[in-house]
Amino acid sequence: QKEVEQNSGPLSVPEGAIASLNCTYSDRGSQSFFWYRQYSGKSPELIMFIYSNGDKEDGRFTAQLNKASQYVSLLIRDSQPSDSATYLCAVSYSGGGADGLTFGKGTHLIIQP
Amino acid sequence: GAVVSQHPSWVICKSGTSVKIECRSLDFQATTMFWYRQFPKQSLMLMATSNEGSKATYEQGVEKDKFLINHASLTLSTLTVTSAHPEDSSFYICSARAPSGRETQYFGPGTRLLVL
């Protein structure tokens, strides 16, 4: 059974600080890793994907992947109140969007003005 | 680009009725679409993979005769919840595999189903 674990939070971070979100996964064969943001009552929107070990940066967001530790993280720099949402970590056994995604339960992030 | 729509966005029905939800890729062709379900305060759970022109593949524990999926064209997949019951009330979200060369799935806005 493929599992993706996240701390449900809430994680409270002051505006302008760095928010750090973590995720672990159980299936060593997982190939693709995604971070989605979900506002209450809305569907998920993609923030970033990462396939290789190391860091990947996109604007204020940095995804980090460590396959040996089966660990994925998302850093949000200069956090804004609009970043307040639930962040979902998702994993795929295959590359890209070829297979359905296994999601974690999400971390509720609150950015305090 | 890569916009996915769903219709309806909200549906309320009586127990025992069937409900059809449409998922459309508006500006690209999607040979593969996925259907997810999300209960309150839970994560998205993959229900089935919908492939154009062939039978859908269902995840373990999802009844294929209750959740009928039809992917008749490259831009449309439908999910029919047959004989819906209150426990089927949920947020149903579809996604479409991105066009070749793009490594992700794009999600529709979701359909909230309430069965009375």
Side-chain angles (χ1 to χ4, degrees):
Chain A
Q1 178 106 12
K2 302 172 188 176
E3 293 183 351
V4 178
E5 299 288 339
Q6 294 180 257
N7 188 321
S8 61
L11 173 64
S12 186
V13 174
E15 183 176 358
I18 296 175
S20 177
L21 304 164
N22 305 315
C23 169
T24 59
Y25 59 95
S26 63
D27 190 342
R28 278 198 178 276
S30 300
Q31 298 291 324
S32 311
F33 307 87
F34 305 83
W35 283 100
Y36 285 86
R37 177 172 61 196
Q38 186 176 29
Y39 293 109
S40 181
K42 304 294 185 181
S43 70
E45 54 179 319
L46 179 70
I47 297 176
M48 291 189 69
F49 59 85
I50 186 169
Y51 301 149
S52 303
N53 278 328
D55 296 358
K56 179 180 179 183
E57 186 174 320
D58 183 0
R60 296 188 296 114
F61 300 96
T62 299
Q64 299 173 318
L65 173 61
N66 183 326
K67 288 187 177 181
S69 300
Q70 295 175 241
Y71 177 86
V72 193
S73 67
L74 178 70
L75 300 177
I76 306 175
R77 290 181 298 281
D78 188 24
S79 299
Q80 303 297 311
S82 59
D83 294 327
S84 298
T86 297
Y87 288 79
L88 303 173
C89 173
V91 172
S92 173
Y93 190 72
S94 67
D99 285 347
L101 302 177
T102 300
F103 282 87
K105 289 186 176 181
T107 298
H108 184 203
L109 175 65
I110 299 172
I111 306 301
Q112 296 177 320
Chain B
V3 178
V4 177
S5 71
Q6 278 185 247
H7 177 80
S9 56
W10 263 100
V11 59
I12 301 174
C13 68
K14 293 182 179 179
S15 183
T17 60
S18 294
V19 176
K20 180 185 283 188
I21 302 170
E22 294 184 347
C23 176
R24 294 182 185 272
S25 56
L26 296 185
D27 52 1
F28 66 100
Q29 294 182 331
T31 56
T32 303
M33 291 183 175
F34 305 91
W35 287 95
Y36 296 84
R37 179 168 55 179
Q38 186 177 32
F39 292 108
K41 299 191 183 301
Q42 298 294 316
S43 187
L44 277 78
M45 296 295 292
L46 178 66
M47 299 176 66
T49 301
S50 169
N51 294 297
E52 188 267 337
S54 65
K55 291 184 178 180
T57 303
Y58 291 83
E59 295 298 302
Q60 189 175 8
V62 178
E63 299 175 55
K64 63 179 181 179
D65 294 330
K66 180 170 182 63
F67 299 99
L68 301 180
I69 291 173
N70 187 338
H71 194 160
S73 78
L74 289 172
T75 59
L76 174 64
S77 176
T78 60
L79 168 69
T80 300
V81 183
T82 62
S83 187
H85 288 94
E87 58 265 29
D88 298 321
S89 299
S90 188
F91 192 35
Y92 291 86
I93 309 172
C94 72
S95 72
R97 182 180 176 184
S100 177
R102 289 196 239 170
E103 306 285 350
T104 190
Q105 297 175 19
Y106 292 95
F107 282 83
T111 297
R112 201 162 295 279
L113 170 64
L114 176 61
V115 184
L116 302 176

